[in-house]
Structures are given as C-alpha cells and as structure tokens.
Amino acid sequence: MTTAPSPLPATSSQQTLLVLKILRVSLHVMFAFLLCFGAVLALVGSVYQVRHTVIGVLSLALGGIYLAGTVYENRRGLPATFTDFFFRPGASARYRQAARFPPAHLWILIISLLWLGLMALDSSFTWVVFPIMFLYLHLLAPVAGVAATLVLCALAIALPLVGPAGFGFDYLHSEGLAPGYLIGPTLGALLAIVISFTYRALRADAAYQYQLAQQLRAVQAELVQQQYSAGKLEERERLAREIHDTLAQGLSSIVLVSRAAASSLQEGEADAAAAQVRVIQDSAAANLAEARRFIRDLSSPALDDSLVSALRALAASTETAQKAAGKPLTCAFILEGKEETANALPEAVSATIMRVAQGALANVAAHAEASRAALTLSIWPGEVTLDVFDNGRGFTPTPLATGTLSETGTGYGLTSLGERVAHLDGSLDIESTHGEGTVLTARIPLKQTNQHRSAQEAQ
C-alpha cells in the first residue's frame, strides 16, 4: 500500500489545477450530501429510539473525522508517519522513518468502521459508500484500491439485505431480490474506478507536463547563460581589437617619438625636439579621443568627416610620426574610384577599412624598416579593396588556424585584422618576400545583404 502522490507544484497548468480541484471538491460535497441524506432518512419519520442517538453520534463523528482529515491534507499534505502530526518539517530523520501503516490509512479505516456501524443501524447510509470508494482508490495503490472498492461494493449490496438492519433471508425468500440492490452499488463501484483512474492519469499528465516545463526552463536558462557568456567573450575580443589597433598603436608611436625627442635634446637639436613633442601631443590627443569613444561606444572620431579624408590624414600622420622618430617614411594615399562612393560605404565597412589601414601602417612603422608605403582604396561594383604596400624588409607569412595570416612572432596584430575582415565575410591576404617588401590586401564584399548586416553590426 502507498499513500497518494504528493501535491502538484503550484506552477502546473491552471486548467489542470482547476479540474483537479473541482473533482476533489465534488467528492467532499458528495460525501457531505449523502451522509446528511442518510441521517435524515434514518432519524425522521420514526418513533425515537436509543439507536437514533447512536446514529446521530456516529454521523457527527464520521463527518467530523472526514472533515478533519481533508482539511489537514489540504493544508499540510498527507503525513507519511504518525510523528508528522507533531514534528515540524525538517525534523530529525529518526522520527521520519517510513511506516507500514501511515496515518492516512488509519484515517480511512476509521471512516470505514464508522460507516459499517451506521450500516448496522440503518441501511439509509448505503450510498455513503461511493465517496469512501474514491478515498480508497485515491489513498491506496491501484490494485489494492480496486480490491478494497470491490469489498465495499459487496458490503453495500449485502448489508441492506441480510445485515443487522437488513430485510433478512425470509424477506428475500418470499419477496425476491430487487435488481436495484445489485445494480446501484455495482455501477457506483465501476464509476468510481473509472473516475479514479482518470484522475490518476490527469495527475500523471500534469506532473509530466510540469517536468517538461521545468526542463524547458532549465534549457532556456542555460541558453541565456551561454549567449551571455558568448556575448561577453565577443565583446572582450572586440575591445581587444579596438585597443590594439588604436590605443596600443598610438602609445607605441608616442614611445618611439619620445625616445627620438630625448635623443634630439641630448644632441642640442631644439627645433627637432619641439617638432617631435608636437607629434607626441597630436598622437596623445588622437588616443584620448579614441579612449572617449570606448566610453561613449560611438563611431571612430577618425571617421567624423569621411573615409577618404581619414585615410589621407592617416597616411600623413604616419609619415610625420616616422619622420619625428628618426625613421623617414614616405606614405601616400591613392583612391581608385569615386570619392562620393567611398564616403557612402556602410559604417561597418568604413570602420573596418580604417582599422585595417591603421593596423597595417602600424606594422609597417614598427617592423618593415621601409622608406616608402602606400594605401590604395579601390571601389569595385561588388566589393571594396584596400591594398597596403611597403618596400621594407619583408617576411614569410604563415597561415593561422583561423585562416588569417600573421608575421611569425608578431602576435595579435594581423590576426585581429583578419578577424575584423572575416566578420564582414571578407578576406585578408598577404604577399611578402624577404628584401622586396609586403602587400596586404583586404577584400570586403558589398552585397545588399552584407550591407544590411554591416549596418546592424556597426562597431
């Protein structure tokens, strides 16, 4: 024997909870009505006898015990052991060992004995057996519940006929057995069994749906966490690219020029040192603007005017910084295409072109030892390309696992540029030979879908 399943979680379907609540309330109303109906039939219309007092006491006792059990279950659930009546939840486990005969079974047994006592005094209480059948089917395991229901059905048939308050065998022999005495309890038992199993199936389905909902919520929470973690990682990578391609390169330029200024001061070249200090001031101002952009998360200050003018200014500032650092470099900007078309490129494309140009020229200044460099922006019907040429010492490009190219040992720079271009479905290629210079080419497609995507993902 087992007790009834635990109450359904409060988060189950409201419709399911409503149906189950209606079934339970209907059972309680039916029990109260049939008990009162039987008591009225037994007590009204006959001369007072001592048994009337006994019937009244037993009826009140049956109703009170039934009410107390249902109220306790509704508020605190079915107790697993007798000590659950006295110890609060969470009490010591030694008081909560499983019981072979739980209090719920004692409760239904007392109800059954009281009903049998009433049946021994008057057969008007026959119909009270129907809600009692539901209790057995609810509290016991399915097989035990059905067996108990059949026993109750047999008692409900036999007691009104041959019990202490029944008609007796002489009456049955002379008058015969009315079909109603057999059909009524039998149909009631079958109906109770069908409804009980329907109730169990409904509870099981509600519990299954609740488990599915819990699993779905857990999966959704996990997906949200994964998306949040992926977003944090992507944002970190974006900021790393931004810092490397802007602030880090600018600070590196400031360090180189400041060293050159220190050398100029040591050699007494005041004019050269002053020019170098002005370059340092300009680089610091530009990097300060970039730092403020990170705070505002707006577009690059270098692109406040136009892409073409920004690239021209970048070439000029690179040439000036290299000259101030004592490493003369002629840096030119070449535009192949209409300037209006170049300036009308999507913001994400323009920002990527600008970052590639900044990163490539920073690598030229730091590693190439070149005397000439050129930025060539080409506008084609289906794509835009940026070529960065230098006549420096060159190197041997090596492909990375990401598909981008990097100079051996240079670290993050070219990998960062490759990731930027790949984010817009573009490609980054490098051709370089030792002693003959390097050409870096970035290609970004200009399809309508990519333009729309670029506008949404503008950095």
Side-chain angles (χ1 to χ4, degrees):
M1 292 184 181
T2 59
T3 58
S6 59
L8 287 173
T11 51
S12 298
S13 169
Q14 294 298 322
Q15 292 83 357
T16 301
L17 291 177
L18 179 61
V19 172
L20 295 177
K21 184 176 181 179
I22 290 175
L23 290 175
R24 291 171 62 86
V25 171
S26 299
L27 173 65
H28 302 329
V29 171
M30 180 173 63
F31 182 89
F33 173 78
L34 293 177
L35 179 61
C36 294
F37 180 75
V40 170
L41 290 180
L43 298 176
V44 177
S46 61
V47 180
Y48 172 77
Q49 300 177 12
V50 176
R51 72 182 188 91
H52 290 172
T53 302
V54 178
I55 290 175
V57 172
L58 291 179
S59 298
L60 291 176
L62 178 57
I65 292 176
Y66 181 90
L67 178 63
T70 54
V71 170
Y72 186 91
E73 177 192 5
N74 184 60
R75 292 184 177 180
R76 301 183 60 181
L78 291 173
T81 66
F82 289 99
T83 55
D84 285 341
F85 286 112
F86 311 105
F87 293 94
R88 66 183 184 277
S92 176
R94 65 189 183 92
Y95 294 114
R96 292 181 167 274
Q97 297 178 356
R100 292 186 177 180
F101 193 71
H105 293 177
L106 177 61
W107 175 67
I108 188 62
L109 177 60
I110 294 174
I111 289 177
S112 301
L113 292 176
L114 291 174
W115 172 74
L116 289 174
L118 290 172
M119 287 292 294
L121 297 173
D122 198 291
S123 60
S124 300
F125 295 94
T126 301
W127 311 112
V128 181
V129 74
F130 297 141
I132 296 178
M133 290 178 179
F134 283 107
L135 294 180
Y136 274 99
L137 291 168
H138 176 65
L139 295 175
L140 304 183
V143 175
V146 172
T149 300
L150 295 178
V151 172
L152 290 174
C153 178
L155 292 174
I157 294 174
L159 290 177
L161 299 176
V162 298
F167 302 113
F169 286 103
D170 294 337
Y171 177 85
L172 292 176
H173 181 73
S174 60
E175 300 295 335
L177 178 63
Y181 288 103
L182 293 175
I183 296 175
T186 302
L187 289 180
L190 293 177
L191 182 62
I193 292 173
V194 171
I195 294 177
S196 175
F197 278 90
T198 302
Y199 182 85
R200 286 178 178 268
L202 187 60
R203 285 184 62 92
D205 180 70
Y208 176 72
Q209 295 297 333
Y210 172 74
Q211 292 177 355
L212 288 181
Q214 288 290 85
Q215 294 175 358
L216 179 60
R217 280 189 286 269
V219 171
Q220 289 176 337
E222 183 178 355
L223 289 176
V224 169
Q225 182 62 35
Q226 290 178 353
Q227 291 175 353
Y228 175 73
S229 300
K232 287 177 60 179
L233 180 60
E234 182 178 356
E235 183 65 11
R236 288 177 180 176
E237 292 178 350
R238 186 187 73 84
L239 290 176
R241 291 194 300 265
E242 291 287 340
I243 293 173
H244 178 275
D245 295 342
T246 56
L247 298 180
Q249 301 290 4
L251 293 174
S252 176
S253 175
I254 290 174
V255 170
L256 293 176
V257 177
S258 64
R259 290 174 181 172
S263 299
S264 298
L265 289 174
Q266 290 178 355
E267 296 174 1
E269 299 176 356
D271 293 340
Q276 291 163 342
V277 169
R278 284 194 296 271
V279 172
I280 293 174
Q281 290 175 341
D282 293 340
S283 298
N287 279 268
L288 178 60
E290 290 290 350
R292 288 172 175 170
R293 183 187 68 83
F294 292 150
I295 298 174
R296 298 192 310 269
D297 197 25
L298 299 175
S299 60
S300 174
L303 294 177
D304 284 346
D305 296 330
S306 67
L307 176 61
V308 173
S309 62
L311 290 174
R312 286 198 181 103
L314 175 64
S317 63
T318 301
E319 182 175 325
T320 301
Q322 286 298 99
K323 182 179 179 181
K327 300 177 181 179
L329 173 68
T330 301
C331 187
F333 169 71
I334 303 171
L335 174 63
E336 294 183 352
K338 295 182 179 181
E339 184 171 345
E340 295 80 4
T341 305
N343 292 331
L345 291 173
E347 183 180 353
V349 175
S350 299
T352 299
I353 292 294
M354 189 65 192
R355 290 293 181 252
V356 171
Q358 288 175 328
L361 286 183
N363 285 336
V364 171
H367 307 294
E369 298 179 1
S371 61
R372 290 185 292 110
L375 294 175
T376 303
L377 179 65
S378 303
I379 308 299
W380 306 97
E383 67 177 9
V384 57
T385 63
L386 176 69
D387 297 304
V388 183
F389 161 78
D390 72 80
N391 65 344
R393 58 188 178 90
F395 65 99
T396 301
T398 57
L400 299 179
T402 58
T404 61
L405 296 171
S406 174
E407 180 182 354
T408 304
T410 59
Y412 190 74
L414 294 179
T415 301
S416 169
L417 299 182
E419 290 175 350
R420 283 184 177 276
V421 175
H423 191 63
L424 297 179
D425 298 330
S427 62
L428 184 70
D429 300 314
I430 297 179
E431 297 180 2
S432 183
T433 305
H434 283 281
E436 297 184 5
T438 302
V439 177
L440 179 147
T441 302
R443 293 183 175 87
I444 300 177
L446 292 178
K447 297 180 182 179
Q448 182 177 0
T449 55
N450 286 333
Q451 291 181 355
H452 178 68
R453 171 183 164 187
S454 300
Q456 291 181 330
E457 299 175 345
Q459 298 181 357

